[in-house]
Amino acid sequence: MENISIDGTPKTPTVNFNSESGVLLIKGRSIPENSIDFYKPLFQWIDTYAQSAKDKTEVHMQLEYFNTSSSKCILDVFKKLEQIKKAGKDVSVIWHYEEDDEDMLEAGEDYDAIIDIDFDMVKVEEL
Amino acid sequence: MTQIQEIFDLYDTMEKKNIMLSFKGDMSSELLSSILLIIERKLDLFGESAKVKKRMFNILVECLQNLHHHIERPPEGSGEDTPSVIVMVAKNVTGYSIITGNFVLTNNADMLKERLEEINGMTKDEVKDLYKSVLANGKMSEKGGGGLGMIDIARKSGEKLEFGFIPFANGSSFFSLNVKVKQD
């Protein structure tokens, strides 16, 4: 299957989904007016990937900002990954946040509480 | 009153109220991006802390996107016929204010008022829990309907939301919102 490689814009994040390494990255800003338009291809990719997922899938979230319309889509990404875990594979999320950004840490903790995947909270100086 | 006087009065009011930005008109996607850029630069210029900059940016995104999605025509007879909103960002002694105004259908206004009163009656932890539960279970309406957006605005602000409605004829109300962001 094809990997996803999307460059970031002021309103949408950089996305790198690699089916060979099992490493998925979402980085930057996710504040589009219509988030579904942006996230739909990502959902479809994960659905296909789920059929032959690697034993270990690592999701790197390095978000600077996201709006509430994206928050629902990000939840849906995690829900799809949760299904891969339920199928017996190893899935983990590495949630990055800047050291002074307690709102982003809390956002990660929200997802951790809702989703049955291991979340690793990683404090960084700058994203 | 002469036109020159009106212009000066408008300038003077904005100066006295420390308005950093003011716009009235249609909230397009491009304009939304420009406003975010202007405010980001101004906050940098003020040497604002990263935490306050992020809060301001987040709240402004939600407020502007609400205006973008919920733009309604002004009521007939108000002298305007194109959809229009107002947004202002002001600096004050304790921090910042993000002020918005737009016409909403009175039916929606009642729902919105109820929602905002409910949020204002909650503690910070209750707002946080509400956000989580709406995110996890709540189906957002197509346009948001003051769902997750308003909860997020209240959560990030940490202050009570100030709001008001002015009813007009023809089932339309003017909704104004003042969101405060305190400095550390």
Side-chain angles (χ1 to χ4, degrees), chain A residues 1 19-24 46-59 78-93 115-118:
Chain A
M1 67 184 290
S19 59
E20 288 106 56
S21 63
V23 175
L24 281 56
I46 298 171
D47 284 341
T48 312
Y49 172 74
Q51 292 163 18
S52 54
K54 294 277 144 194
D55 289 337
K56 192 173 160 52
T57 303
E58 233 179 56
V59 189
F78 291 148
K79 278 188 176 163
K80 287 184 183 295
L81 295 163
E82 195 179 35
Q83 290 308 311
I84 298 176
K85 191 195 164 193
K86 278 198 179 131
K89 302 282 172 74
D90 184 8
V91 181
S92 61
V93 174
I115 296 289
D116 183 24
I117 298 178
D118 288 332

